[in-house]
Amino acid sequence: MNALEITRFAVRGLTANKMRSVLTMLGILIGVAAVILLVAVGQGSSESIKQRIQSLGANTLTVSASFSGGFGGPGGRSGGGGGPRTQARGLTLDDARALAGSGNAPSVKSVSPVVTASSATTTYEGASHDISQVVGTYPSYFEATNKPVASGAYFTNQDVTGVRKVVVIGKTVAEELFGQADPVGGRVSIEGVSFTVVGVLKESGSTGGQDADDIAIAPLPAVQQTLSGYGSLGSIVIQATSAETTDAAEAEITAILNQRHDITGSATADYRILNQASLQETVTEATGTFTVLLGAVAAISLLVGGIGITNIMLVTVTERTREIGIRKAIGAPRGAILGQFLIEATLLSLIGGLLGVGVAVAGSQFTIAGVRPVIVPQSIVLALGVSVAIGLFFGSYPANRAAKLRPIEALRFE
Amino acid sequence: MNEPLNGPLNGPTARPGDGAYSAGNGWTTAVPCDPPPADSPRDDVPGGEASGAEPVLLIRDVRKIYGEGEATVHALRGVSLTVERGDYVAIMGASGSGKSTLMNIIGCLDIPTTGTYLLGGTDVGVLDDVQLARVRNRRIGFIFQSFNLIPRMSALANVELPLAYGGVRAADRRRRALAALGLVGLADRVGHQPNELSGGQQQRVAVARALVTSPTLLLADEPTGALDSTSTRDVLAIFDRLSVSGRTIVVITHEDDVAAHAKRVIRLMDGQIVEDRRQAPVDGPPPLAGLRPPTEAVSDR
Ligand SMILES: Nc1ncnc2c1ncn2[C@@H]1O[C@H](COP(=O)(O)OP(=O)(O)OP(=O)(O)O)[C@@H](O)[C@H]1O
Ligand SMILES: [Mg+2]
């Protein structure tokens, strides 16, 4: 009596009641497919979020003024919150110069002071468009925030020092004002002031409902002069020398700004630093939790499928108790009976599991809830492994019960 | 333990002087009692060391009590019985006298409450599960009143099954199963499933299944109980021939006609043996053997 023979008996047992076998497999199929697919959806959404964060610019830190009392804000190295604080001061150009000029910040690659104005009415030869965000900054901003141009060029440092009225516009602005025409060299009027378009940004897509391409970027003094005035800066965008040095850069910035803003000991800082890297970490953690939750829900359905197998195996064993008795009476050893029913249960779960993998792989080709699923290979191995283990585990109880019967008990069974 | 299990045809019971039965009837050669194939190690089968002198069955003071308390039933109240090799025993008795209970114990399907049972000199009470399975597979052929064929399996597959559990190679298995089915006159019905066979044919398949492993002991619990008189005659003719070829047979029956075929008749009453009558010598032919041409006995209906 070899394993092949016992497997043949098992297959014969399964095909004897095809409908039931198929329905049982369906339970496992759904469980396995759900585990793989939901984990893939979780993975896919986490990766797309990560990509979006990365598209905001690599290794960047954004310092912004914090006028709200009581807390330092996320990412702010501000010392214990709630302490006494000095008069809040906005960020100034001198702050930016201090960060860029002093030798105390070796991890800082570039410093770009930023002012922003929103909803600036812009016209070009009769076409009109409200640009949702006009940014005044230095040329280093483009690299720090990962905004390459598609045509034309960035403005230069000379443009900044010369307070020239030049502007780099986003894709949406270009389309709204110029249509199909080439915007480079065109003169647009922003809030009545004439600017020359020197470049068009590459399309970056919308981030969270806001159109990131509805933007215009001009030299800092030009924007201050025409739109925002010479008040404090909106923010300072700092690029660290590398991904590894972002934390060091954050510490250096904190030290310099604390000194400049007279923040000592337990005082709450009047600025906050948003660290791209730590933001990414936080988001990754959150999406990881999300993925685990999805996986847990799916695992429950896999468990339910396993209980389905136990149920069917119990019914099968009960139904075939007489047959078991006959087999034992003609000399089937306990191992052969146990093997037959264990293989039946394992085949049910294995075939169901493999079909589930197939369904999951096919399903992952589609976009689900706006997310393109990314299959995690480990989830396939895990789901298949678990489904086979379930077959063995849940099948072993009925199989054992069948194998342990005395022949006469089984034969007398009604 | 090294002596291979011999089929009754070539075993020690094929005595010289039996020529009239072992050679005189052409059909003895058709009995599928090939020597065991090399790939099935039979010498490790418990109970296989019996010599010609050792009784096939030795039962001493066996009792069987069912249930507990109020509902206790004493099905067997101390049965002692010795069956020699080659004997053909009919067990009779009223309904509820304990015949089936005794038979199930002899067939290793059940265990006695007390008492010892030696099969070919081996105490089956001390055997473990695997050894018991091997005894059932190779030493005993059991024929049930209700046929007990496995549904949705062809007659051939049913007959092959004991060989499959005995580890016989597929080709050998098929050959021996076909021979056994030929012996019971069902050569042209091998592909039929049990529900496509008449009761008599099903019982003959069951007989073939019991014979196919060449067991020392053939047990039949009312094998003809569900059969008409012609089918009964067929089955009894097969038993006669097997007895002639030296096989040990124990049959339970209610019918005197059936008991008349046996060499020895035992009567049970209330779980005790009340009569033990010999109708023919152990080493002779069964009393009614050869009264009819065997070719007719296995003719197909
Ligand atoms: N599993 C059981 N549980 C309880 N009592 C049983 C069981 N099997 C048999 N008995 C009882 O044991 C006694 C003997 O039963 P057994 O089946 O051996 O009788 P029998 O001689 O074969 O009868 P019949 O000729 O009707 O088949 C009966 O009284 C029966 O009720
Ligand atoms: Mg009975």
Side-chain angles (χ1 to χ4, degrees):
Chain A
M1 198 71 214
N2 55 30
L4 192 76
E5 204 91 49
I6 297 176
T7 309
R8 271 199 13 230
F9 287 148
V11 171
R12 211 198 288 257
L14 288 181
T15 49
N17 207 326
K18 292 196 190 65
M19 189 61 168
R20 184 194 289 171
S21 302
V22 166
L23 287 177
T24 314
M25 279 180 204
L26 195 63
I28 288 293
L29 186 157
I30 291 172
V32 167
V35 166
I36 297 175
L37 213 50
L38 289 188
V39 168
V41 167
Q43 183 73 9
S45 65
S46 131
E47 277 185 16
S48 85
I49 290 174
K50 253 190 254 172
Q51 245 168 20
R52 277 182 209 174
I53 292 174
Q54 257 156 15
S55 76
L56 294 178
N59 321 330
T60 53
L61 300 148
T62 307
V63 183
S64 51
S66 159
F67 295 108
S68 49
F71 65 94
R77 292 270 169 90
S78 47
R85 56 181 299 169
T86 49
Q87 179 75 38
R89 267 176 279 175
L91 295 165
T92 62
L93 208 49
D94 286 337
D95 285 333
R97 288 208 187 94
L99 292 171
S102 77
N104 296 337
S107 305
V108 171
K109 187 178 174 193
S110 73
V111 177
S112 317
V114 175
V115 293
T116 54
S118 54
S119 201
T121 308
T122 311
T123 56
Y124 173 76
E125 289 181 356
S128 172
H129 174 65
D130 276 4
I131 300 175
S132 68
Q133 198 185 23
V134 177
V135 176
T137 186
Y138 286 0
S140 55
Y141 178 82
F142 292 101
E143 192 200 329
T145 58
N146 192 20
K147 290 192 194 314
V149 287
S151 65
Y154 305 125
F155 54 81
T156 62
N157 282 324
Q158 284 74 29
D159 292 331
V160 175
T161 47
V163 200
R164 292 196 193 121
K165 304 287 189 298
V166 290
V167 68
V168 176
I169 56 176
K171 188 98 187 293
T172 307
V173 180
E175 277 168 4
E176 291 286 336
L177 294 178
F178 293 89
Q180 298 300 316
D182 183 13
V184 177
R187 297 183 68 83
V188 297
S189 160
I190 301 173
E191 295 288 345
V193 181
S194 177
F195 279 78
T196 306
V197 176
V198 292
V200 179
L201 293 172
K202 242 190 205 137
E203 184 172 12
S204 70
S206 60
T207 42
Q210 192 190 335
D211 185 0
D213 294 317
D214 193 5
I215 192 172
I217 305 171
L220 177 75
V223 174
Q224 286 179 317
Q225 199 178 66
T226 57
L227 295 167
S228 67
Y230 290 96
S232 54
L233 297 174
S235 60
I236 302 172
V237 172
I238 292 144
Q239 187 176 24
T241 48
S242 74
E244 287 72 42
T245 56
T246 49
D247 285 344
E250 187 176 335
E252 291 159 12
I253 294 162
T254 308
I256 293 168
L257 289 181
N258 277 358
Q259 198 195 357
R260 287 187 54 81
H261 290 217
D262 299 326
I263 292 157
T264 51
S266 59
T268 307
D270 55 3
Y271 63 91
R272 54 198 181 124
I273 302 173
L274 186 71
N275 185 335
Q276 210 78 263
S278 63
L279 176 68
Q280 192 157 323
E281 245 168 60
T282 313
V283 170
T284 307
E285 241 168 64
T287 55
T289 312
F290 176 63
T291 305
V292 167
L293 267 178
L294 282 180
V297 170
I300 289 173
S301 79
L302 194 55
L303 190 75
V304 171
I307 292 170
I309 287 193
T310 320
N311 186 22
I312 284 307
M313 291 314 293
L314 275 174
V315 171
T316 303
V317 165
T318 309
E319 239 182 29
R320 290 177 27 209
T321 303
R322 252 186 99 81
E323 182 187 322
I324 292 167
I326 299 170
R327 285 176 186 270
K328 294 203 90 168
I330 61 172
R334 181 188 290 194
I337 302 283
L338 186 68
Q340 176 180 340
F341 286 99
L342 267 189
I343 291 174
E344 272 189 35
T346 309
L347 278 181
L348 277 179
S349 62
L350 187 66
I351 295 174
L354 284 173
L355 290 175
V357 170
V359 166
V361 169
S364 70
Q365 306 303 313
F366 301 97
T367 305
I368 298 166
V371 175
R372 197 165 165 80
V374 176
I375 286 201
V376 186
Q378 292 96 305
S379 75
I380 294 185
V381 175
L382 192 75
L384 257 190
V386 166
S387 76
V388 170
I390 277 177
L392 279 174
F393 182 78
F394 285 106
S396 66
Y397 168 65
N400 235 319
R401 228 182 57 163
K404 274 220 286 270
L405 286 173
R406 240 187 291 154
I408 196 67
E409 292 166 345
L411 280 170
R412 280 219 195 96
F413 187 84
E414 294 300 331
Chain B
M1 286 294 266
N2 289 329
E3 186 195 341
L5 167 65
N6 292 306
L9 269 190
N10 42 22
T13 48
R15 294 161 302 273
D18 281 359
Y21 296 97
S22 56
N25 302 310
W27 33 264
T28 46
T29 49
V31 180
C33 297
D34 322 84
D39 65 338
S40 78
R42 302 210 129 190
D43 47 359
D44 60 341
V45 181
E49 66 270 41
S51 67
E54 195 90 52
V56 177
L57 276 183
L58 190 70
I59 291 170
R60 250 186 259 116
D61 198 29
V62 158
R63 289 164 195 275
K64 181 73 184 178
I65 301 168
Y66 289 114
E68 277 169 17
E70 289 276 296
T72 305
V73 175
H74 290 263
L76 294 177
R77 303 162 186 265
V79 171
S80 295
L81 177 66
T82 305
V83 176
E84 299 298 333
R85 190 170 283 270
D87 211 348
Y88 183 176
V89 182
I91 298 178
M92 300 193 71
S95 181
S97 54
K99 306 183 294 294
S100 296
T101 304
L102 178 61
M103 194 64 123
N104 292 334
I105 290 170
I106 295 175
C108 297
L109 304 181
D110 206 353
I111 46 173
T113 310
T114 60
T116 50
Y117 165 32
L118 304 188
L119 179 69
T122 309
D123 187 353
V124 292
V126 301
L127 297 183
D128 67 20
D129 216 67
V130 176
Q131 290 171 315
L132 268 180
R134 234 180 260 152
V135 167
R136 283 183 211 120
N137 186 237
R138 294 174 188 171
R139 301 257 120 211
I140 296 166
F142 208 110
I143 301 163
F144 301 89
Q145 178 175 358
S146 51
F147 320 142
N148 275 343
L149 298 178
I150 295 182
R152 290 187 298 278
M153 268 172 81
S154 70
L156 184 64
N158 261 290
V159 177
E160 276 188 25
L161 203 55
L163 296 176
Y165 285 124
V168 178
R169 268 188 285 113
D172 263 345
R173 208 190 291 167
R174 172 159 296 248
R175 186 174 52 77
R176 290 170 68 176
L178 284 172
L181 281 165
L183 178 80
V184 298
L186 283 177
D188 56 342
R189 291 282 194 282
V190 293
H192 288 58
Q193 296 193 350
N195 57 0
E196 299 163 346
L197 293 170
S198 76
Q201 288 167 337
Q202 286 186 57
Q203 193 59 297
R204 272 143 66 189
V205 173
V207 172
R209 183 179 65 185
L211 290 177
V212 76
T213 52
S214 315
T216 337
L217 189 57
L218 196 65
L219 306 175
D221 189 349
E222 300 191 41
T224 61
L227 305 183
D228 72 352
S229 56
T230 9
S231 295
T232 298
R233 248 183 288 133
D234 288 349
V235 171
L236 288 178
I238 294 168
F239 283 5
D240 278 349
R241 279 155 43 203
L242 291 167
S243 180
V244 165
S245 66
R247 196 149 326 199
T248 314
I249 301 172
V250 180
V251 176
I252 291 179
T253 185
H254 281 291
E255 299 160 61
D256 292 326
D257 297 354
V258 175
H261 285 256
K263 298 176 187 174
R264 177 184 178 191
V265 177
I266 289 171
R267 195 169 294 275
L268 274 184
M269 191 189 285
D270 290 334
Q272 280 174 313
I273 295 179
V274 293
E275 187 190 338
D276 189 345
R277 173 166 52 88
R278 182 156 292 286
Q279 305 187 133
V282 177
D283 48 4
L288 301 182
L291 293 188
R292 281 187 322 143
T295 41
E296 198 185 299
V298 294
S299 70
D300 195 47
R301 257 160 297 248

